[in-house]
Amino acid sequence: QVQLVESGGGLVQAGGSLRLSCAASGSTGTINAMGWYRQAPGKERELVAVISSGGSTNYADSVKGRFTISRDNVKNTIYLQMNSLEPEDTAVYYCHAKRRFTGEVYWGQGTQVQVSS
């Protein structure tokens, strides 16, 4: 099993920045991709950004150029630096991890990000 614990959410004004963290613990040895998803009220959960164990990244078009995902493999932690935040970024942000070979996925409990206009 893998446990994912997010932190760093909060309330920020439009144009501001936040940094989310997600620490993985447990049987993390074969975890490959980790990333961030978000779910706004009344909407489906959507991919925000993902990073492989080798550092390859992929972003949703809506956050390209504003958000940066990074990873510390020693600490088993990923980060999401969010700049130029917009009210449309308001959502619960979930950390996600996927195990290599089996494809098993894990989710964190979520952290709320609210951007005021």
Side-chain angles (χ1 to χ4, degrees), residues 13-27:
Q13 288 188 329
S17 298
L18 283 174
R19 189 191 193 209
L20 305 183
S21 300
C22 172
S25 61
S27 302

Side-chain angles (χ1 to χ4, degrees), residues 40-73:
K43 294 187 177 181
E44 294 188 355
R45 193 173 296 189
E46 62 176 3
L47 173 70
V48 176
V50 64
I51 185 167
S52 70
S53 57
S56 298
T57 60
N58 191 32
Y59 295 91
D61 288 343
S62 59
V63 307
K64 283 180 180 177
R66 300 188 298 122
F67 292 9
T68 302
I69 189 169
S70 59
R71 182 169 181 163
D72 185 330
N73 287 327

Side-chain angles (χ1 to χ4, degrees), residues 8-20 38-41 62-63 66-67 80-93 111-117:
L11 173 64
V12 65
Q13 288 188 329
S17 298
L18 283 174
R19 189 191 193 209
L20 305 183
R38 67 186 181 187
Q39 188 166 18
S62 59
V63 307
R66 300 188 298 122
F67 292 9
L80 186 67
Q81 179 66 43
M82 305 185 293
N83 298 328
S84 302
L85 282 161
E86 303 168 352
E88 292 74 21
D89 296 315
T90 295
V92 178
Y93 283 69
T111 184
Q112 177 72 51
V113 171
Q114 187 163 352
V115 184
S116 63
S117 57

